[in-house]
Amino acid sequence: MSVEIIKAGTRKELALFAEFPNVLYKGNPYYVPTIASEDVKIFDRNHNAAFEFCDADFFLAYKDGKLVGRIAAIINPRANKAWGTRNARFGWFDFIDDREVSAALVKAVTDWGAERGMEHLEGPLGFTDFDAEGMLVDGFDELGTSITFYNHPYYMEHLEALGFVKNTDWVERRITLPDAVPEKISRISAIVSQKYGMKAVQYSRREIKKLDIGHKLFNLINNTYNVLYGYSALSDRQVDQYVDLYLSMLDLNLVTFINDSEGNIIAFGVMIPSMSRALQKCDGKMFPFGWYHLAKALYLKKTDTVDMLLISVRKDYQSKGVPAMIISDLLPRV
């Protein structure tokens, strides 16, 4: 029986779109489920600020009456302008091991992009770099993180069969932290601090709000991440959205800012307790007890693993040893 592709437009269909990978990977010890109800907000035009400048549609694949795949079709005009491209993006791409299914999903996005004047297709990408992106090509027997996709090895084989080639590598590493800051890093940190008059600063939640630190943080990201593959600057509304979403939940003990001699933020580092095991216990649902597992991981239980979520150094301070200051300040607090 042929594959049927439908556009997910209703709330129920978008919920099926969000939940599909949690069903596909159920019981997989390396897959980290997403909270489907939160993912639906990403696909909601009235909620996600990226829809101010992006166009997107979401497709579901059915075969023999059963849901067997999903894919998002996205155009980010800001990224296309910044990089001089006419690219459509595909993202949130999951499917059973059936080449008819993957081919039908990719064709849906290819046709969708061509109808809108796009010339190439790239992915997996989200609306912006603050969505999960990329495709796992190695490390299939490693526990995923809360901010990256997990996928079966056959995904890569399907895309290669469809003519896709790899454009870039994103590397994720797991390291064992030493008991103390290594002497070399500590020494570089001290030299850099003294030479440029910089210091590591921790802000309270009250200070972050009063000094508008959140917007300064994301403005720094916009000015430093714009050389990264496919990056597009966050809009003011997106920044507002991320400030509201993230800064209220961060453990500020795992956040450091580096200020110059005049008190300007020139770098920062953000770590979070690993949420992977907690999300596995949630099994994709916030209720009835998913919220408890997440809160416990964030606030109640000392974790043996942290994720380096974000790090940024202002361009005129790059290659000057600033990361040594970030590591020296954060490592003793982990």
Side-chain angles (χ1 to χ4, degrees):
M1 189 172 180
S2 61
V3 178
E4 179 188 8
I5 302 294
I6 71 164
K7 186 185 296 185
T10 68
R11 187 79 178 178
K12 181 179 179 180
E13 289 166 343
L14 287 175
L16 289 172
F17 185 95
E19 292 166 0
F20 177 72
N22 291 346
V23 176
L24 181 65
Y25 289 97
K26 190 171 183 64
N28 186 303
Y30 310 113
Y31 172 72
V32 177
T34 61
I35 302 297
S37 60
E38 293 300 307
D39 278 1
V40 168
K41 296 177 183 178
I42 300 172
F43 314 133
D44 186 344
R45 285 168 168 76
N46 296 318
H47 184 273
N48 188 348
F51 278 103
E52 282 188 332
F53 57 92
C54 288
D55 187 14
D57 276 310
F58 309 95
F59 297 98
L60 297 169
Y62 286 86
K63 191 170 186 178
D64 298 328
K66 182 179 179 182
L67 180 59
V68 290
R70 68 169 188 171
I71 195 168
I74 302 166
I75 296 174
N76 182 328
R78 287 190 172 194
N80 280 335
K81 182 178 179 180
W83 296 93
T85 57
R86 294 187 65 81
N87 291 343
R89 299 177 166 201
F90 68 91
W92 289 279
F93 186 31
D94 292 286
F95 48 91
I96 65 170
D97 191 6
D98 182 328
R99 296 201 178 185
E100 187 181 17
V101 172
S102 57
L105 287 165
V106 168
K107 184 179 186 303
V109 178
T110 302
D111 292 347
W112 181 92
E115 290 168 2
R116 290 158 177 78
M118 299 298 104
E119 298 172 350
H120 298 96
L121 183 61
E122 63 176 351
L125 292 169
F127 294 93
T128 71
D129 276 21
F130 283 82
D131 297 313
E133 54 191 1
M135 180 170 286
L136 193 64
V137 298
D138 194 15
F140 300 101
D141 58 351
E142 296 284 347
L143 180 65
T145 68
S146 60
I147 58 173
T148 54
F149 286 126
Y150 180 86
N151 55 262
H152 288 306
Y154 66 74
Y155 279 39
M156 182 172 54
E157 298 168 3
H158 282 231
L159 282 185
E160 289 175 345
L162 290 167
F164 286 89
V165 294
K166 184 168 65 175
N167 244 6
T168 190
D169 279 308
W170 289 315
V171 181
E172 185 177 75
R173 300 188 185 277
R174 180 182 176 92
I175 63 173
T176 300
L177 296 177
D179 294 330
V181 179
E183 188 276 332
K184 181 179 180 180
I185 292 177
S186 181
R187 176 165 45 84
I188 293 173
S189 176
I191 292 171
V192 170
S193 176
Q194 183 177 19
K195 182 176 181 179
Y196 298 106
M198 295 184 292
K199 64 178 181 178
V201 177
Q202 271 189 284
Y203 290 106
S204 67
R205 217 167 287 281
R206 180 174 176 273
E207 289 172 322
I208 285 175
K209 184 175 182 180
K210 180 180 178 181
L211 300 174
D212 199 20
I213 299 298
H215 287 83
K216 293 176 182 178
L217 181 153
F218 281 103
N219 287 334
L220 183 58
I221 289 174
N222 270 341
N223 291 327
T224 56
Y225 281 30
N226 58 8
V227 297
L228 300 181
Y229 180 87
Y231 187 79
S232 68
L234 299 173
S235 68
D236 290 341
R237 187 175 161 221
Q238 281 182 296
V239 170
D240 291 341
Q241 197 170 64
Y242 288 131
V243 167
D244 292 341
L245 177 64
Y246 291 122
L247 291 190
S248 62
M249 61 181 284
L250 287 178
D251 179 353
L252 296 183
N253 192 50
L254 297 178
V255 180
T256 189
F257 296 90
I258 307 299
N259 287 2
D260 65 13
S261 58
E262 297 178 354
N264 301 306
I265 298 172
I266 58 94
F268 69 87
V270 177
M271 296 189 298
I272 61 170
S274 173
M275 305 298 292
S276 298
R277 295 299 185 194
L279 284 164
Q280 286 184 329
K281 292 176 181 177
C282 292
D283 196 26
K285 300 177 181 64
M286 188 68 78
F287 300 101
F289 301 115
W291 64 270
Y292 169 75
H293 296 300
L294 296 178
K296 184 178 179 182
L298 278 172
Y299 307 117
L300 303 178
K301 181 182 178 182
K302 185 172 176 59
T303 182
D304 62 354
T305 304
V306 292
D307 294 338
M308 175 58 89
L309 187 66
L310 288 170
I311 186 169
S312 182
V313 180
R314 206 172 74 189
K315 289 181 178 178
D316 53 331
Y317 279 91
Q318 292 175 7
S319 303
K320 293 183 178 179
V322 176
M325 293 186 65
I326 294 173
I327 294 170
S328 292
D329 192 54
L330 283 177
L331 190 56
R333 299 192 236 137
V334 176

